[in-house]
Amino acid sequence: MDINKNMIKDKLDDLKQHPVKILGLLYPYILIVGVLIGYIYLNNVSNIGRNTVPLIFLDTASQDKDLPLIQPNVVPKTDVMALSQPSDALVSKGKALFSTTCVSCHGVEGKGDGVAGAALNPKPRNFTSASGWINGSKISGIFKTLSEGVPGSGMVAFDTFSPEEKIALSQYIRKTFVVNPPVDTKDELTDLSQKYKLTEGAQNPGQIPIKDAMALVIQDGQTKYDKVISALKQITNDSNNNGAEIFNKVTNNKVKALTALTSTEEWKKNEQVFVDLVVNELGDAGFNSNVHSLSGSDWDTFYNYMSKLL
Ligand code: HEC
């Protein structure tokens, strides 16, 4: 025993004098920990890191979403304070809208048992029960629901309704189905009015998808092109007609002249606009200086002929 103790004591003394030797003793443990970390790391490398799954490059071009179609609409100025008092007219307006648009899900009695709502999860709101309301049954709450929908449910936004129609609907629902409907405070109504800019009203210009817009531009160009070609044919056929004769006399470039005249409808308003257009644009629009020698009655003939032609 004593020998052992002495040996340990000697070793400890030795270590005290040469602390670097501790590393030698710890070396196997460091090695084991290192291997362990490496093992854990390899186990957690993603598939891409291991290269076991081929990379797929997404075709980002094919994922481009076009602009959605937005109908232009005018939101009339709305006096929320006035409409917050349910008039008979307002309530019956709401009733009519409700039976055409909402009954399918919310049911005739507002219990959320309409046929179209049967398969929905969450179920359409039962207006006669006080529980479950997300935006609430105040005018401001129902208005919000109708403007924004309830995300993640079958209740979509009904944005084609005017603010007055939305308030009419909420008045009808509150009056007919909701038991003891809570009343909006003045502040809540003011907030509602401000949030949806109801006192100002709005004019939303609408928007069409780019691909439709392109098609329209091409179509428009195509119709104009067709118009020019058929006018040109007609003029050739009409060679004995005074109007066609004048056209031939005053143009250097017939296609250019016809294109200039099809690009705007302005000149069809009256003869003076027509004369101004031809004289002012002259060379640019394919006409020549012979226009200056046209008499008043020549202009009449020319104008009448071109108006009929295009
Ligand atoms: C396609 C079925 C469907 C139609 C149509 C529908 N709703 Fe809903 N509505 C729902 C569903 C589903 C909910 C429940 C949403 C939830 O709980 O998340 C709901 C909830 C509501 C709520 C309660 C929102 C809240 O605060 O919890 C109101 C108010 C409402 N609808 C009004 C209307 C009105 C008014 C119409 C007609 C203009 C209408 N709904 C048409 C399905 C519909």
Side-chain angles (χ1 to χ4, degrees):
M1 280 304 258
D2 266 1
I3 300 171
N4 258 347
K5 265 191 183 162
N6 278 340
M7 268 175 65
I8 292 173
K9 198 171 175 290
D10 282 353
K11 277 230 158 134
L12 283 175
D13 286 347
D14 188 34
L15 280 179
K16 269 183 197 156
Q17 274 162 30
H18 310 280
V20 182
K21 288 192 177 171
I22 293 179
L23 283 180
L25 288 173
L26 290 180
Y27 180 73
Y29 301 101
I30 292 175
L31 200 67
I32 290 170
V33 170
V35 168
L36 262 177
I37 290 176
Y39 177 76
I40 292 170
Y41 173 78
L42 282 179
N43 255 314
N44 285 294
V45 172
S46 67
N47 283 337
I48 291 175
R50 291 189 203 182
N51 250 342
T52 52
V53 176
L55 285 177
I56 297 170
F57 291 100
L58 295 175
D59 180 1
T60 48
S62 73
Q63 309 224 323
D64 269 358
K65 283 219 179 83
D66 205 341
L67 300 175
L69 176 71
I70 298 175
Q71 301 284 353
N73 70 336
V74 177
V75 180
K77 295 180 182 174
T78 310
D79 183 350
V80 177
M81 294 302 166
L83 295 176
S84 68
Q85 304 305 322
S87 67
D88 288 348
L90 200 60
V91 172
S92 62
K93 193 174 188 176
K95 179 178 182 176
L97 291 170
F98 189 84
S99 53
T100 51
T101 326
C102 323
V103 162
S104 57
C105 285
H106 288 282
V108 186
E109 291 172 4
K111 290 189 175 157
D113 53 0
V115 274
L120 292 178
N121 181 21
K123 288 255 166 297
R125 182 72 58 250
N126 175 358
F127 298 139
T128 63
S129 157
S131 67
W133 290 78
I134 294 165
N135 295 320
S137 59
K138 290 182 182 175
I139 294 174
S140 53
I142 298 182
F143 195 99
K144 179 172 188 225
T145 298
L146 290 173
S147 303
E148 300 170 19
V150 181
S153 82
M155 183 63 204
V156 295
F158 285 87
D159 246 356
T160 47
F161 288 144
S162 70
E164 192 188 338
E165 288 170 329
K166 289 177 192 168
I167 296 177
L169 272 164
S170 46
Q171 293 288 22
Y172 172 69
I173 292 174
R174 290 162 51 78
K175 186 163 183 217
T176 321
F177 310 121
V178 182
V179 189
N180 296 328
V183 180
D184 293 81
T185 64
K186 220 171 169 206
D187 281 351
E188 281 170 327
L189 291 177
T190 311
D191 285 352
L192 176 73
S193 187
Q194 277 171 359
K195 182 173 174 198
Y196 295 99
K197 301 193 169 55
L198 299 181
T199 43
E200 296 144 47
Q203 251 183 328
N204 304 320
Q207 149 186 307
I208 65 172
I210 292 171
K211 73 171 167 29
D212 293 354
M214 303 269 283
L216 272 183
V217 170
I218 292 167
Q219 204 179 48
D220 197 32
Q222 185 65 39
T223 15
K224 281 189 183 137
Y225 176 79
D226 291 346
K227 233 181 181 176
V228 170
I229 298 299
S230 73
L232 212 53
K233 276 191 198 145
Q234 191 60 42
I235 291 169
T236 317
N237 292 341
D238 288 349
S239 55
N240 291 328
N241 176 304
N242 282 344
E245 238 166 59
I246 295 173
F247 178 83
N248 286 328
K249 193 172 91 182
V250 301
T251 47
N252 285 343
N253 185 332
K254 296 187 174 67
V255 173
K256 223 175 178 184
L258 289 170
T259 308
L261 291 176
T262 40
S263 68
T264 163
E265 298 268 300
E266 272 299 286
W267 58 272
K268 290 191 179 167
K269 278 189 201 150
N270 66 54
E271 189 175 327
Q272 193 51 50
V273 181
F274 175 71
V275 175
D276 288 346
L277 181 89
V278 172
V279 174
N280 292 336
E281 302 282 320
L282 213 67
D284 285 342
F287 295 99
N288 62 35
S289 57
N290 288 339
V291 293
H292 297 304
S293 58
L294 295 182
S295 69
S297 72
D298 285 344
W299 274 114
D300 292 346
T301 315
F302 185 25
Y303 178 65
N304 289 335
Y305 179 71
M306 295 315 292
S307 311
K308 265 192 219 130
L309 188 68
L310 295 173

